[in-house]
Amino acid sequence: MRFVSKLPDVGTTIFTVMSQLAAEHGAINLSQGFPDFPCAPALLDAASSAMQAGHNQYAPMAGLPALRQALAAKLLASQQIPVDPETEITITAGATQALFTAIAAVLHAGDEAILLDPSYDSYAPAIRAQGATPVRLNLSAPTFAIDWAAVEAAVTPRTRLIIVNNPNNPATSVFSNSDLDALAAIVEHHDLLVLADEVYEHLVYDGITHRSVLSHPALRARSFAVYSFGKTFHATGWKVGYCVAPPLLSAEFRKVHQFLVFSVNTPMQHALAHHLAQPVHWQQLSAFYQAKRDRLANGLTAVGFRLQPSQSTYFQLADFTTIRDDLSDVEFARWLTLEHGVASIPVSAFYGDGRDDRLVRFCFAKRDDTIDSALARLAKLAN
Ligand SMILES: Cc1ncc(COP(=O)(O)O)c(C=O)c1O
């Protein structure tokens, strides 16, 4: 059989590779981004009650009305953003499906989409699966500031979409108002669309405010904004997320969505709708994770890593050159896993050209005792 792969260079992701390596060598896994603590018991009870109550058949295509209404109420109450739950919110099988769906709904073969690296690993393959081309611009450590003139210079007559991740995994950088203004000026001038991955919207630290594309009128009119309940409710395995976009964009999004998954896990949607109506869990997230960030960051600094404070997400970047200057980031991550029993992610994996700034990413969405055990293992580095 002759088969021409659409994604010939795509292999197993670095997240799977490092998690497997961690499991094989009994390492503490601070690589992949998932909590090792349970989600709220009330959320589990709500999911179980929904199943017992018989909510086990297909949900409406766009999502359970009660869940979409709860999300619209949350956006209004927390950010004063009015959204029509009927025509502007679609529930998805995690953020990953929302990202793929928006990309498939927008890009025609031959189009270009601009990505800012380091970027989440699903964007480029999703673009290429449409016969479109990712145009990747590198952001540099330590600030990962966006050079908007360079972004505009990358726009061609084929450009249709700019993908941004704010707050950014793995850079942990957060957009300022001037970033939003600069993005808006480019997309208005060149008549482009925006796909804003905002899954870490609630995980921002040190008093920094997350500014959504939804809060910016010019961007609101041309953006798909994507979110994940996995990140917000410590339930990455549930794979439920949503996309907010104006009616025209949501209608096109749903054309793809209904033939990709049709609808999303019904009992989980009931549970999430119920949970969103309870006292506001997400408002405690920043303080909860900031304490974990500080716990990990203090320990990593003490054993010799050079750190920038993590501004957002549940990741901490660490410059390891003070510990091993002779290794690439991939070699260092492997060495740390095998020799010191702690797994991390090499940041070059987030760059299309494999740029290596000698940084590894640690996840601090872990129990305090997990963080402490990892730091105890790394204490030998200080000797
Ligand atoms: C930036 C970013 N976007 C999207 C996702 C995927 O979210 P979900 O698990 O809801 O598909 C992740 C998960 O790590 C992420 O870090």
PDB file of all heavy atoms in Angstrom, residues 94-96 99 120 123 165 169 197 199-200 228 231 239, ligand 1:
ATOM      1  N   GLY A  94     -12.307  19.278  25.525  1.00  0.00           N
ATOM      2  CA  GLY A  94     -11.034  19.887  25.939  1.00  0.00           C
ATOM      3  C   GLY A  94     -10.666  21.043  25.035  1.00  0.00           C
ATOM      4  O   GLY A  94     -11.283  21.273  23.988  1.00  0.00           O
ATOM      5  N   ALA A  95      -9.632  21.778  25.465  1.00  0.00           N
ATOM      6  CA  ALA A  95      -9.166  22.897  24.650  1.00  0.00           C
ATOM      7  C   ALA A  95      -8.553  22.400  23.346  1.00  0.00           C
ATOM      8  O   ALA A  95      -8.651  23.057  22.311  1.00  0.00           O
ATOM      9  CB  ALA A  95      -8.138  23.711  25.433  1.00  0.00           C
ATOM     10  N   THR A  96      -7.924  21.231  23.396  1.00  0.00           N
ATOM     11  CA  THR A  96      -7.250  20.721  22.194  1.00  0.00           C
ATOM     12  C   THR A  96      -8.229  20.571  21.035  1.00  0.00           C
ATOM     13  O   THR A  96      -7.926  20.930  19.899  1.00  0.00           O
ATOM     14  CB  THR A  96      -6.567  19.373  22.510  1.00  0.00           C
ATOM     15  OG1 THR A  96      -5.737  19.550  23.663  1.00  0.00           O
ATOM     16  CG2 THR A  96      -5.696  18.913  21.356  1.00  0.00           C
ATOM     17  N   LEU A  99      -9.150  24.038  19.741  1.00  0.00           N
ATOM     18  CA  LEU A  99      -8.080  24.613  18.915  1.00  0.00           C
ATOM     19  C   LEU A  99      -8.123  24.007  17.517  1.00  0.00           C
ATOM     20  O   LEU A  99      -8.085  24.721  16.508  1.00  0.00           O
ATOM     21  CB  LEU A  99      -6.711  24.331  19.563  1.00  0.00           C
ATOM     22  CG  LEU A  99      -6.457  25.023  20.905  1.00  0.00           C
ATOM     23  CD1 LEU A  99      -5.282  24.380  21.633  1.00  0.00           C
ATOM     24  CD2 LEU A  99      -6.194  26.513  20.690  1.00  0.00           C
ATOM     25  N   TYR A 120       2.456  25.731  22.151  1.00  0.00           N
ATOM     26  CA  TYR A 120       1.860  24.437  22.511  1.00  0.00           C
ATOM     27  C   TYR A 120       1.907  23.530  21.294  1.00  0.00           C
ATOM     28  O   TYR A 120       1.705  23.974  20.157  1.00  0.00           O
ATOM     29  CB  TYR A 120       0.415  24.683  22.983  1.00  0.00           C
ATOM     30  CG  TYR A 120      -0.268  23.448  23.490  1.00  0.00           C
ATOM     31  CD1 TYR A 120       0.233  22.741  24.573  1.00  0.00           C
ATOM     32  CD2 TYR A 120      -1.418  22.981  22.872  1.00  0.00           C
ATOM     33  CE1 TYR A 120      -0.401  21.599  25.028  1.00  0.00           C
ATOM     34  CE2 TYR A 120      -2.068  21.849  23.327  1.00  0.00           C
ATOM     35  CZ  TYR A 120      -1.548  21.156  24.404  1.00  0.00           C
ATOM     36  OH  TYR A 120      -2.163  20.037  24.853  1.00  0.00           O
ATOM     37  N   TYR A 123      -0.681  23.154  17.869  1.00  0.00           N
ATOM     38  CA  TYR A 123      -1.054  24.164  16.867  1.00  0.00           C
ATOM     39  C   TYR A 123      -0.532  23.830  15.467  1.00  0.00           C
ATOM     40  O   TYR A 123      -1.295  23.839  14.494  1.00  0.00           O
ATOM     41  CB  TYR A 123      -0.521  25.561  17.232  1.00  0.00           C
ATOM     42  CG  TYR A 123      -0.836  26.109  18.609  1.00  0.00           C
ATOM     43  CD1 TYR A 123      -0.010  27.076  19.180  1.00  0.00           C
ATOM     44  CD2 TYR A 123      -1.941  25.694  19.332  1.00  0.00           C
ATOM     45  CE1 TYR A 123      -0.275  27.609  20.430  1.00  0.00           C
ATOM     46  CE2 TYR A 123      -2.200  26.216  20.594  1.00  0.00           C
ATOM     47  CZ  TYR A 123      -1.364  27.168  21.139  1.00  0.00           C
ATOM     48  OH  TYR A 123      -1.617  27.688  22.372  1.00  0.00           O
ATOM     49  N   ASN A 165      -1.075  32.467  22.696  1.00  0.00           N
ATOM     50  CA  ASN A 165      -1.316  31.715  23.923  1.00  0.00           C
ATOM     51  C   ASN A 165      -1.012  32.643  25.086  1.00  0.00           C
ATOM     52  O   ASN A 165       0.137  32.978  25.340  1.00  0.00           O
ATOM     53  CB  ASN A 165      -0.420  30.473  23.932  1.00  0.00           C
ATOM     54  CG  ASN A 165      -0.522  29.662  25.215  1.00  0.00           C
ATOM     55  OD1 ASN A 165       0.423  29.008  25.612  1.00  0.00           O
ATOM     56  ND2 ASN A 165      -1.666  29.696  25.864  1.00  0.00           N
ATOM     57  N   ASN A 169       2.158  29.069  28.020  1.00  0.00           N
ATOM     58  CA  ASN A 169       2.878  27.848  28.363  1.00  0.00           C
ATOM     59  C   ASN A 169       3.857  27.571  27.228  1.00  0.00           C
ATOM     60  O   ASN A 169       3.411  27.430  26.094  1.00  0.00           O
ATOM     61  CB  ASN A 169       1.888  26.684  28.500  1.00  0.00           C
ATOM     62  CG  ASN A 169       2.574  25.332  28.537  1.00  0.00           C
ATOM     63  OD1 ASN A 169       3.730  25.226  28.901  1.00  0.00           O
ATOM     64  ND2 ASN A 169       1.852  24.297  28.154  1.00  0.00           N
ATOM     65  N   ASP A 197      -5.545  31.050  22.799  1.00  0.00           N
ATOM     66  CA  ASP A 197      -5.558  29.937  23.743  1.00  0.00           C
ATOM     67  C   ASP A 197      -5.371  30.544  25.131  1.00  0.00           C
ATOM     68  O   ASP A 197      -4.272  30.969  25.490  1.00  0.00           O
ATOM     69  CB  ASP A 197      -4.423  28.983  23.363  1.00  0.00           C
ATOM     70  CG  ASP A 197      -4.308  27.791  24.296  1.00  0.00           C
ATOM     71  OD1 ASP A 197      -4.899  27.828  25.388  1.00  0.00           O
ATOM     72  OD2 ASP A 197      -3.602  26.835  23.933  1.00  0.00           O
ATOM     73  N   VAL A 199      -6.202  28.999  28.157  1.00  0.00           N
ATOM     74  CA  VAL A 199      -6.551  27.960  29.138  1.00  0.00           C
ATOM     75  C   VAL A 199      -6.024  28.254  30.544  1.00  0.00           C
ATOM     76  O   VAL A 199      -6.564  27.755  31.518  1.00  0.00           O
ATOM     77  CB  VAL A 199      -6.099  26.546  28.691  1.00  0.00           C
ATOM     78  CG1 VAL A 199      -6.756  26.131  27.404  1.00  0.00           C
ATOM     79  CG2 VAL A 199      -4.598  26.430  28.593  1.00  0.00           C
ATOM     80  N   TYR A 200      -4.964  29.073  30.633  1.00  0.00           N
ATOM     81  CA  TYR A 200      -4.414  29.378  31.969  1.00  0.00           C
ATOM     82  C   TYR A 200      -4.922  30.724  32.491  1.00  0.00           C
ATOM     83  O   TYR A 200      -4.241  31.374  33.301  1.00  0.00           O
ATOM     84  CB  TYR A 200      -2.881  29.360  31.919  1.00  0.00           C
ATOM     85  CG  TYR A 200      -2.344  27.978  31.584  1.00  0.00           C
ATOM     86  CD1 TYR A 200      -1.866  27.690  30.312  1.00  0.00           C
ATOM     87  CD2 TYR A 200      -2.355  26.960  32.527  1.00  0.00           C
ATOM     88  CE1 TYR A 200      -1.399  26.409  30.000  1.00  0.00           C
ATOM     89  CE2 TYR A 200      -1.907  25.688  32.219  1.00  0.00           C
ATOM     90  CZ  TYR A 200      -1.425  25.426  30.955  1.00  0.00           C
ATOM     91  OH  TYR A 200      -0.976  24.154  30.654  1.00  0.00           O
ATOM     92  N   SER A 228     -10.215  25.662  29.113  1.00  0.00           N
ATOM     93  CA  SER A 228     -10.223  24.254  29.508  1.00  0.00           C
ATOM     94  C   SER A 228     -10.663  24.107  30.959  1.00  0.00           C
ATOM     95  O   SER A 228     -10.056  24.712  31.853  1.00  0.00           O
ATOM     96  CB  SER A 228      -8.811  23.685  29.355  1.00  0.00           C
ATOM     97  OG  SER A 228      -8.732  22.401  29.927  1.00  0.00           O
ATOM     98  N   LYS A 231      -7.842  22.603  33.349  1.00  0.00           N
ATOM     99  CA  LYS A 231      -6.884  23.454  34.047  1.00  0.00           C
ATOM    100  C   LYS A 231      -7.528  24.109  35.268  1.00  0.00           C
ATOM    101  O   LYS A 231      -6.907  24.259  36.311  1.00  0.00           O
ATOM    102  CB  LYS A 231      -6.385  24.573  33.120  1.00  0.00           C
ATOM    103  CG  LYS A 231      -5.840  24.075  31.804  1.00  0.00           C
ATOM    104  CD  LYS A 231      -4.573  23.286  31.988  1.00  0.00           C
ATOM    105  CE  LYS A 231      -4.138  22.651  30.686  1.00  0.00           C
ATOM    106  NZ  LYS A 231      -3.054  21.719  30.820  1.00  0.00           N
ATOM    107  N   LYS A 239     -11.283  16.190  29.936  1.00  0.00           N
ATOM    108  CA  LYS A 239     -11.247  16.706  28.578  1.00  0.00           C
ATOM    109  C   LYS A 239     -12.548  17.430  28.202  1.00  0.00           C
ATOM    110  O   LYS A 239     -13.259  17.062  27.271  1.00  0.00           O
ATOM    111  CB  LYS A 239     -10.962  15.579  27.570  1.00  0.00           C
ATOM    112  CG  LYS A 239      -9.575  14.967  27.703  1.00  0.00           C
ATOM    113  CD  LYS A 239      -8.434  15.924  27.460  1.00  0.00           C
ATOM    114  CE  LYS A 239      -8.296  16.393  26.039  1.00  0.00           C
ATOM    115  NZ  LYS A 239      -7.062  17.205  25.860  1.00  0.00           N
TER     116      LYS A 239
HETATM  117  C1  LIG B   1      -1.391  26.058  26.214  1.00  0.00           C
HETATM  118  C2  LIG B   1      -2.284  24.879  26.269  1.00  0.00           C
HETATM  119  N1  LIG B   1      -3.348  24.814  25.461  1.00  0.00           N
HETATM  120  C3  LIG B   1      -4.181  23.768  25.475  1.00  0.00           C
HETATM  121  C4  LIG B   1      -3.981  22.701  26.318  1.00  0.00           C
HETATM  122  C5  LIG B   1      -4.901  21.517  26.257  1.00  0.00           C
HETATM  123  O1  LIG B   1      -5.985  21.604  27.109  1.00  0.00           O
HETATM  124  P1  LIG B   1      -7.002  20.376  27.203  1.00  0.00           P
HETATM  125  O2  LIG B   1      -6.384  19.345  28.082  1.00  0.00           O
HETATM  126  O3  LIG B   1      -8.264  20.958  27.747  1.00  0.00           O
HETATM  127  O4  LIG B   1      -7.188  19.849  25.799  1.00  0.00           O
HETATM  128  C6  LIG B   1      -2.885  22.711  27.186  1.00  0.00           C
HETATM  129  C7  LIG B   1      -2.628  21.569  28.080  1.00  0.00           C
HETATM  130  O5  LIG B   1      -1.558  21.388  28.608  1.00  0.00           O
HETATM  131  C8  LIG B   1      -2.019  23.835  27.159  1.00  0.00           C
HETATM  132  O6  LIG B   1      -0.955  23.889  27.968  1.00  0.00           O
END
